[in-house]
Amino acid sequence: MMKRAVIIYWIIFVAFLIPFILGKNVIALAESFHDLIDALTITFSYYVTRIVNNSSSVYTYGLHRLEVLSAVINLMIIIFGSIFTLYLSLIFSSGEYSLLTIILSMIVIPLLLSIENEDEKDFNKKSVVLHSLFDVLSYIIGVFVLIIYQITSINIVILLGVISIVILSIFMSINPLKQSFLIMLEGSPINTNELEKDLKGINPGVHHIHVWAICGHIKVATIHVEVNENMTVKEIDVEREKIQRFLKEKYDIDHVTIQFESKKVD
């Protein structure tokens, strides 16, 4: 999916650059500049997916936080790219919007729709799909607005269309940005109060629970468990396996560190 997205965005960039080179179409230049930023951003996202699993003695969990960083960059490009488009529409409000711009926009829509997320848990890939979905909606609005402009020649139509795109970009980006910052600030992706209640049903000595996400699909937990001081290592292993299996099955937590104690220590 990511490789296809990279190819598609570079094709779109070239597609809008050619009309400017051949006919000095200012609108095509503005769109090609926007597409260049998109292509560079998606290329960076693709590169991130290739290296996130590279763990080392320094980055022991790999480089999965780059997925979140890449997602934030994608979302910010969506927001500021739409605002930049609004700026350009104000500058070129009296310019000529050629039929070629409409035709190219209609051609790239099916290309962008072909970008599908194969892994819904991968935060980086989800952001790329969201980016492409936003671009599809933007092109649809753009085609609709440009057709009206061709018929009426009313410049305010262009401005209203771009403003709607800005509002759409902000609306679509709010929730993904909140999720990204939650991960970056090591917030818990699940309700730890409910988790504690569930775990106490398995072992009443469970306490001092911490849960956070390294990226969109890797959750980590540390837990303290107070046990009888006469328990054997084998019995403790049985408790550990029960807790780990429950966390995996219900909360999809893979990495769990459990500290067993003969008395409660916080």
Side-chain angles (χ1 to χ4, degrees):
M1 182 275 282
M2 292 294 290
K3 189 174 183 179
R4 182 168 67 248
V6 170
I7 294 172
I8 287 173
Y9 270 94
W10 282 107
I11 289 174
I12 294 173
F13 162 63
V14 173
F16 278 97
L17 183 62
I18 290 175
F20 168 70
I21 295 175
L22 297 179
K24 304 302 179 183
N25 187 313
V26 177
I27 301 305
L29 173 62
E31 185 56 39
S32 65
F33 177 77
H34 170 252
D35 293 329
L36 173 61
I37 301 300
D38 283 349
L40 290 172
T41 304
I42 301 302
T43 301
F44 172 71
S45 297
Y46 172 67
Y47 174 73
V48 166
T49 63
R50 302 291 298 273
I51 66 171
V52 290
N53 292 312
N54 295 346
S55 60
S56 66
S57 59
V58 177
Y59 302 103
T60 55
Y61 276 111
L63 300 170
H64 290 279
R65 280 289 168 90
L66 277 176
E67 295 179 24
V68 185
L69 175 61
S70 177
V72 170
I73 291 174
N74 262 298
L75 294 167
M76 298 309 293
I77 289 295
I78 291 175
I79 295 173
F80 289 107
S82 62
I83 294 174
F84 178 70
T85 303
L86 174 60
Y87 170 72
L88 290 177
S89 70
L90 293 173
I91 294 178
F92 302 117
S93 60
S94 60
E96 290 297 323
Y97 296 84
S98 68
L99 287 174
L100 181 59
T101 306
I102 299 176
I103 294 171
L104 285 173
S105 298
M106 294 178 69
I107 291 174
V108 303
I109 288 173
L111 286 175
L112 292 169
L113 285 173
S114 69
I115 301 174
E116 298 179 358
N117 191 10
E118 300 164 353
D119 184 359
E120 294 183 356
K121 294 182 180 180
D122 191 313
F123 214 65
N124 187 34
K125 292 180 180 178
K126 284 174 64 177
S127 71
V128 171
V129 172
L130 181 64
H131 195 141
S132 63
L133 176 60
F134 168 75
D135 285 341
V136 167
L137 295 174
S138 298
Y139 280 119
I140 290 174
I141 293 173
V143 168
F144 180 72
V145 167
L146 289 176
I147 290 174
I148 294 178
Y149 175 80
Q150 288 288 328
I151 297 172
T152 64
S153 297
I154 301 175
N155 288 322
I156 192 66
V157 172
I158 300 293
L159 181 60
L160 292 175
V162 177
I163 290 175
S164 67
I165 291 174
V166 173
I167 294 173
L168 177 66
S169 71
I170 295 173
F171 177 77
M172 290 180 64
S173 301
I174 288 176
N175 190 54
L177 278 174
K178 286 171 62 178
Q179 294 179 29
S180 297
F181 285 119
L182 179 69
I183 293 175
M184 294 175 71
L185 295 174
E186 298 187 343
S188 175
I190 62 177
N191 188 319
T192 54
N193 291 328
E194 292 183 6
L195 174 60
E196 184 173 7
K197 289 180 182 178
D198 288 341
L199 289 177
K200 283 186 178 294
I202 299 174
N203 189 311
V206 169
H207 61 282
H208 206 61
I209 299 171
H210 295 280
V211 182
W212 67 98
I214 294 177
C215 60
H217 58 280
I218 299 179
K219 300 185 187 74
V220 181
T222 61
I223 301 168
H224 290 202
V225 182
E226 184 181 3
V227 295
N228 189 303
E229 61 183 9
N230 296 319
M231 286 183 70
T232 65
V233 173
K234 185 176 181 180
E235 290 172 331
I236 289 175
D237 268 343
V238 172
E239 291 297 307
R240 175 184 55 79
E241 289 175 0
K242 285 196 298 186
I243 292 172
Q244 288 180 326
R245 184 168 57 251
F246 173 79
L247 291 174
K248 173 59 181 174
E249 291 175 354
K250 183 169 182 178
Y251 292 99
D252 195 28
I253 300 176
D254 288 304
H255 297 270
V256 184
T257 301
I258 303 175
Q259 177 176 315
F260 290 95
E261 305 158 344
S262 60
K263 61 179 181 177
K264 188 172 181 180
V265 177
D266 284 322

